[in-house]
Amino acid sequence: MTGFALPGLATRAITISRYSAGSYVNGRWQGDGSPTTVDRVASVQPGNGKDLEQLPEGDRTKEVIKVYVDYELRSADQGNGIEPDQILDRGETYEVKRVHSYTANGVYMYTRALAVKVYND
């Protein structure tokens, strides 16, 4: 597990699932469907009103978390066939919707991601 520390933020273990990029072949979506999973350490915080404003309307009624990590996370990029990362935290699954990477003097420092809870029907 990778370590992570931002002063004043508590951390805990999470699991990240990343699906490989797919593409359309003869009008049909082709992707291998199997994720790569890794266990990491992150600071997970509840989302607030300002966080909700950054999400599409359909996601504003769902549970939102902020995740601070020292590695890259990714949200969906449908044009390039990229599925969003999923985060397993305390038995609940969240889908990454927004990603903000921060740098200082041109050096990558950390990522803050907004993720919404995935509800299974």
Side-chain angles (χ1 to χ4, degrees):
M1 237 179 277
T2 300
F4 177 69
L6 275 178
L9 295 181
T11 60
R12 63 178 176 249
I14 62 171
T15 300
I16 307 293
S17 295
R18 178 169 290 176
Y19 291 84
S20 61
S23 62
Y24 286 97
V25 176
N26 296 325
R28 293 186 183 262
W29 180 253
Q30 302 293 316
D32 70 9
S34 59
T36 300
T37 60
V38 294
D39 293 326
R40 297 291 186 127
V41 174
S43 176
V44 180
Q45 310 294 321
N48 60 34
K50 287 189 177 195
D51 298 325
L52 291 175
E53 291 175 2
Q54 297 178 46
L55 298 173
E57 265 187 54
D59 290 326
R60 293 180 186 173
T61 59
K62 299 176 183 173
E63 182 179 334
V64 177
I65 59 172
K66 288 185 278 198
V67 180
Y68 295 87
V69 293
D70 64 347
Y71 46 89
E72 302 270 346
L73 290 173
R74 68 181 188 194
S75 57
D77 183 349
Q78 292 178 342
N80 290 317
I82 295 174
E83 296 290 323
D85 288 342
Q86 290 193 341
I87 298 168
L88 179 63
D89 178 49
R90 296 183 175 179
E92 301 291 342
T93 301
Y94 298 85
E95 187 172 90
V96 174
K97 294 292 184 173
R98 292 274 190 245
V99 177
H100 305 278
S101 293
Y102 294 91
T103 60
N105 298 320
V107 176
Y108 172 80
M109 299 299 291
Y110 68 96
T111 295
R112 180 179 69 97
L114 297 178
V116 298
K117 186 174 179 179
V118 175
Y119 294 93
N120 298 319
D121 297 323

